[in-house]
Amino acid sequence: MAVTVKSMHRPDPGRTSYLRAALKGMFLTLRHMVRPHKITQQYPEEQTELSPRWRGTHRMEVHADGRPKCVACGLCPTVCPANCIRLIGGEDDQGNRYPIVYEIDEFRCIFCGMCQEVCPVEAIHVGRDFENAEYSRDRFVYDLDRLMNADYPVTLLWDPEDQKSE
Amino acid sequence: MAENTTLTIDGDKIAVPAGTTILQAAQSIGKEISHYCYHPGLSSPAMCRLCLVEVEGAPKLLPSCTTQVAQDQVVFTKSEKAQKMRTGVLEFYLANHPLDCPICDQSGECDLQDYVFAEGREHGRGHEPKRVLGRDDFGGDVLFYGDRCVMCTRCVRFMDEMEQNSLLAVVERGDRSVIDTFFESGLEEANWAGNVIDICPVGALVSKDFLHKARAWDLEHTPSICPNCSQGCNIDLHTRDNLVHRIKPRHNSEVNGHWICDYGRGNYEWLNRGDRVEAPMVRTTEQIEITSWNNAIESLAKCLEAKKGDVRAVVSPFWPNEDLFAVVNLLDVLGGGDVVYRSAKTEEELILPGFNGLARRRDLAPNVRGADLIGCSRVGDDYGRGGLEDVINHTGVILVLGDPLEEIPEDLEFKAETIVYLGAYISSVMNAADFILPVTTSIQQEGTFTNHNGRVQRLWPAVDILGAARPAWSVLGELTAILEGGHPSLSKVDQAFQALANRVSEYAGIAYEDLGDRGAQINDTISVMKD
């Protein structure tokens, strides 16, 4: 690679007036005093619209009778790259396979959304939510009840009208 | 065996013995042909129609599981005709299949999943309602999901040909046919019915014990030997999170074929016992203190040095040959002494009539024969209790390996001056013991068991060692080396086995490395199977 040298020609400091530039700067300040242009978002009074494909904290879908839709097939803990899902399956009194323990460690989670993608019964979803501050670290392991009671909308990883992305 | 028939399979010319089927010939060169009804341990009815292959000159496709090879035959397993037929057959299999893989226990080890993934249609075309049968408790450990069944009848043939107690049958005809039992009791009276769960290629027959417990792909498989009787069936231990979740048979034509009994299959919970000794402990004046291995072994060596010729030992036939021999060897170095063991014995053998020489044996411990050959003598009754009067009244040193001596009351006074407990489990004998040395169990270490027939078979570690436990042969080997003065200690299990083979004539000539996963017959190195 050829090396080129570019020499800069700057005006001699002793012979240059900075008056014009200073006035230009002051005028800008003056303009912002008269007609302010706010960039800072006034969160939490002002909320940003989240994208429909925003992947945030999880949510478990439930049946009409309040049972979780999850059938404990074990695909989400298998596919999870962060290994943050703990699942112990079992059988309820009606003979349905269901999760006895279903926990997601939201600290470990990298919000890739693969659990939602792999779920054969569309039970686990990533949600359109990000406000998950807590007072203690252990509260970040979300258990089944908490996932089922989540009230935020779920992420649409794809357009339901166009499931094959055509 | 004379290899006297040559044929071509998918362009590969091979020679196989006459009488081999096309499917076996293909398997011998690593070509899998999809099949359901064929099972190497059972007869072939050629009814699943999935293994059909094209043979040059034959007007129709032929079932490869029953068609024997012929000279200069040309077989195409992947020709367009054969492929199209298999795709069609698989579509019929899915006509009534519920596709409930997410809740099916077979998922991940299911032949229907594999074959449809490999050769099935990409999308189903069926829109008719599917037949729904629900599930049925077959008794024993077997649960039947009728919807998932592919009617291969392996289970029916197992009960007919192997157990020879036809408790299962196909009822109804045509598309309504279904596997069923005759009476309410179902498979309750069978002793080998658990095998139908293994041979079921789909999730129709599943284990009640294993139901929803783990996914097939989560389990690690370790070859091992069934520790529940002296038959020495070859098994795979399926473990997850350091716990044994189930026992599955491993093929060994010399011992158990493809089968294991329900007793051995279901009796694995004790392998997961958590009440384990985890650190070496030595008694000082009144209390017992945790110490290092070096300290424990050195002080024990000093103690034994002073008591030469005054040592008795109780061992457990649940421990491998190497460990038992290490005890006998140590006592020899110390000037001799009796080594006794106790073992539970049941009333009768549970024979599998269809497989020669396979039964749940009377001795309910894996290494009774090994203990006998190595020079331990059996005491006690058929419940594995009693017989320890000599030991309790012995005044010198008592060395206990494995046997928790559980029926001995806690307040019983041993007459012995020193009691050494080499054990894996916490037991009441620890109250009296002066040295407590944690040792590994047979599923945590390498070693060998000798089955009732004198077949030496290897074990592999399936779960992690807890705490500071070490294999008994290693602990006792170090101890013996100190007592003998500078003799090099054993560092590997094959050395421990070699020491045994050098001393016990029955094991002479057997090399640990040559045992493989098939084992070897004692005093008969020629029959070592290499597969």
Side-chain angles (χ1 to χ4, degrees):
Chain A
M1 203 170 84
V3 178
T4 54
V5 178
K6 193 179 174 187
S7 48
M8 300 290 287
H9 298 287
R10 297 186 191 284
D12 180 7
R15 296 180 56 189
T16 312
S17 164
Y18 284 98
L19 191 63
R20 188 163 163 265
L23 284 174
K24 204 176 159 187
M26 283 180 189
F27 177 72
L28 188 75
T29 314
L30 194 71
R31 200 177 68 193
H32 276 284
M33 279 171 69
V34 180
R35 207 170 33 179
H37 174 56
K38 284 190 217 163
I39 291 291
T40 310
Q41 189 195 339
Q42 297 304 308
Y43 178 83
E45 288 80 22
E46 255 176 57
Q47 293 272 7
T48 321
E49 176 100 5
L50 291 178
S51 150
R53 285 163 58 160
W54 174 272
R55 303 190 301 261
T57 38
H58 297 79
R59 173 176 168 177
M60 173 72 74
E61 293 286 342
V62 291
H63 286 295
D65 58 358
R67 287 184 297 120
K69 278 193 177 174
C70 175
V71 295
C73 70
L75 288 185
C76 49
T78 304
V79 78
C80 180
N83 212 357
C84 70
I85 304 177
R86 192 166 85 93
L87 167 69
I88 297 173
E91 197 172 73
D92 67 11
D93 43 13
Q94 291 139 35
N96 298 313
R97 191 175 168 133
Y98 84 112
I100 299 171
V101 175
Y102 192 98
E103 286 176 354
I104 299 185
D105 187 339
E106 300 287 352
F107 266 156
R108 282 190 152 220
C109 178
I110 59 166
F111 301 101
C112 62
M114 288 218 267
C115 47
Q116 170 167 351
E117 227 171 300
V118 81
C119 184
V121 289
E122 295 185 11
I124 190 69
H125 287 77
V126 273
R128 290 173 59 194
D129 172 67
F130 63 94
E131 294 167 313
N132 36 23
E134 296 287 353
Y135 286 105
S136 68
R137 296 180 70 87
D138 53 350
R139 287 272 298 159
F140 276 92
V141 179
Y142 286 25
D143 62 9
L144 187 59
D145 279 343
R146 190 149 165 214
L147 292 165
M148 281 161 64
N149 292 328
D151 53 359
Y152 35 80
V154 299
T155 298
L156 304 174
L157 284 184
W158 66 91
D159 184 358
E161 304 287 308
D162 173 25
Q163 296 204 356
K164 283 181 186 165
S165 303
E166 287 159 358
Chain B
M1 218 178 276
E3 299 206 334
N4 46 13
T5 306
T6 52
L7 73 159
T8 314
I9 298 179
D10 291 343
D12 292 348
K13 240 184 153 62
I14 56 164
V16 291
T20 316
T21 62
I22 296 175
L23 195 142
Q24 286 164 339
Q27 278 180 340
S28 71
I29 53 166
K31 283 186 195 300
E32 273 299 326
I33 300 174
S34 313
H35 58 272
Y36 286 133
C37 65
Y38 166 77
H39 186 277
L42 300 168
S43 65
S44 306
M47 58 191 287
C48 72
R49 313 315 287 173
L50 200 59
C51 68
L52 299 185
V53 292
E54 194 176 349
V55 177
E56 211 170 68
K60 292 200 278 185
L61 298 173
L62 298 174
S64 61
C65 65
T66 49
T67 310
Q68 293 183 358
V69 291
Q71 187 65 35
D72 301 329
Q73 203 171 35
V74 182
V75 179
F76 302 100
T77 65
K78 299 262 188 282
S79 71
E80 198 185 329
K81 203 174 157 192
Q83 194 79 55
K84 191 167 168 237
M85 187 284 314
R86 279 207 289 274
T87 308
V89 170
L90 284 168
E91 195 177 4
F92 276 122
Y93 275 122
L94 291 183
N96 273 316
H97 191 83
L99 294 176
D100 57 352
C101 307
I103 57 164
C104 176
D105 263 353
Q106 191 84 1
S107 185
E109 50 185 7
C110 172
D111 284 352
L112 190 58
Q113 267 184 338
D114 293 347
Y115 296 157
V116 171
F117 183 75
E119 299 183 312
R121 285 177 61 86
E122 201 171 330
H123 296 286
R125 292 186 293 187
H127 48 80
E128 295 84 5
K130 295 193 175 190
R131 183 179 71 158
V132 177
L133 295 166
R135 74 180 188 188
D136 191 4
D137 187 348
F138 270 8
D141 188 36
V142 186
L143 197 59
F144 177 63
Y145 285 83
D147 307 325
R148 298 175 187 159
C149 180
V150 292
M151 295 307 294
C152 68
T153 70
R154 280 188 195 178
C155 50
V156 177
R157 279 175 288 135
F158 174 82
M159 295 308 287
D160 288 352
E161 296 166 14
M162 288 295 144
E163 177 121 25
Q164 298 182 6
N165 184 2
S166 304
L167 295 171
L168 290 175
V170 181
V171 297
E172 301 274 9
R173 294 279 183 90
D175 69 329
R176 269 160 290 180
S177 52
V178 65
I179 309 291
D180 210 347
T181 51
F182 290 101
F183 310 105
E184 273 304 299
S185 62
L187 297 170
E188 207 71 62
E189 63 180 89
N191 294 316
W192 299 80
N195 290 301
V196 301
I197 299 163
D198 301 332
I199 59 176
C200 183
V202 293
L205 295 163
V206 294
S207 161
K208 277 190 244 172
D209 176 62
F210 187 70
L211 196 67
H212 308 324
K213 251 168 69 176
R215 300 308 262 166
W217 57 82
D218 284 337
L219 297 166
E220 282 173 52
H221 301 185
T222 314
S224 192
I225 302 300
C226 181
N228 291 312
C229 87
S230 59
Q231 171 70 32
C233 289
N234 290 218
I235 55 164
D236 271 322
L237 290 170
H238 290 197
T239 53
R240 193 189 66 178
D241 302 336
N242 237 4
L243 295 173
V244 178
H245 276 72
R246 62 177 174 183
I247 291 177
K248 286 269 184 187
R250 177 163 58 92
H251 178 246
N252 187 343
S253 51
E254 301 294 313
V255 182
N256 61 318
H258 301 270
W259 325 113
I260 56 170
C261 70
D262 293 355
Y263 173 80
R265 182 189 301 272
N267 206 353
Y268 63 88
E269 278 299 335
W270 64 273
L271 296 171
N272 296 332
R273 271 176 72 172
D275 53 336
R276 301 292 291 269
V277 189
E278 292 192 6
M281 288 177 257
V282 176
R283 188 177 297 276
T284 54
T285 58
E286 260 318 292
Q287 78 194 57
I288 201 142
E289 274 177 9
I290 292 176
T291 179
S292 70
W293 270 111
N294 277 347
N295 268 343
I297 290 179
E298 270 167 30
S299 49
L300 178 56
K302 261 181 223 146
C303 172
L304 291 176
E305 191 90 70
K307 292 266 180 265
K308 276 195 171 176
D310 203 12
V311 185
R312 302 282 176 274
V314 184
V315 297
S316 159
F318 285 91
W319 260 256
N321 291 322
E322 291 75 12
D323 295 354
L324 303 185
F325 175 71
V327 174
V328 173
N329 191 36
L330 175 68
L331 262 65
D332 280 354
V333 169
L334 290 169
D338 291 339
V339 181
V340 297
Y341 74 90
R342 306 178 301 162
S343 176
K345 209 168 188 180
T346 53
E347 298 272 304
E348 53 172 354
E349 295 185 339
L350 304 174
I351 294 165
L352 182 68
F355 190 87
N356 197 17
L358 178 57
R360 204 285 309 278
R361 299 291 162 188
R362 287 188 62 200
D363 284 315
L364 298 183
N367 207 14
V368 174
R369 182 77 193 274
D372 285 337
L373 290 171
I374 288 164
C376 313
S377 46
R378 190 176 191 140
V379 293
D381 57 16
D382 280 357
Y383 298 98
R385 286 163 182 274
L388 291 178
E389 294 75 21
D390 287 351
V391 171
I392 291 166
N393 293 323
H394 180 66
T395 51
V397 179
I398 299 175
L399 194 132
V400 183
L401 169 66
D403 196 324
L405 308 179
E406 246 147 21
E407 86 280 12
I408 291 175
E410 283 185 31
D411 53 349
L412 186 104
E413 285 289 318
F414 281 92
K415 301 238 168 42
E417 268 176 49
T418 311
I419 296 174
V420 185
Y421 177 60
L422 287 112
Y425 305 114
I426 288 171
S427 116
S428 57
V429 72
M430 285 168 66
N431 293 332
D434 302 282
F435 293 90
I436 299 168
L437 305 175
V439 296
T440 51
T441 62
S442 62
I443 63 164
Q444 291 175 318
Q445 67 177 81
E446 286 199 58
T448 55
F449 281 150
T450 311
N451 84 347
H452 75 107
N453 208 16
R455 196 173 187 81
V456 187
Q457 304 185 96
R458 271 185 72 175
L459 304 158
W460 283 265
V463 298
D464 293 344
I465 292 169
L466 293 170
R470 280 168 59 179
W473 57 261
S474 155
V475 178
L476 295 166
E478 199 177 327
L479 203 55
T480 314
I482 292 173
L483 291 166
E484 282 185 328
H487 198 269
S489 176
L490 304 170
S491 60
K492 279 184 173 166
V493 70
D494 49 350
Q495 294 168 348
F497 185 82
Q498 199 52 51
L500 160 68
N502 291 344
R503 283 277 301 282
V504 183
S505 62
E506 282 86 350
Y507 293 87
I510 302 176
Y512 189 77
E513 310 81 75
D514 293 344
L515 290 175
D517 57 0
R518 291 302 158 106
Q521 207 67 30
I522 49 168
N523 246 350
D524 185 10
T525 45
I526 298 128
S527 74
V528 175
M529 301 280 289
K530 281 194 181 156
D531 216 331

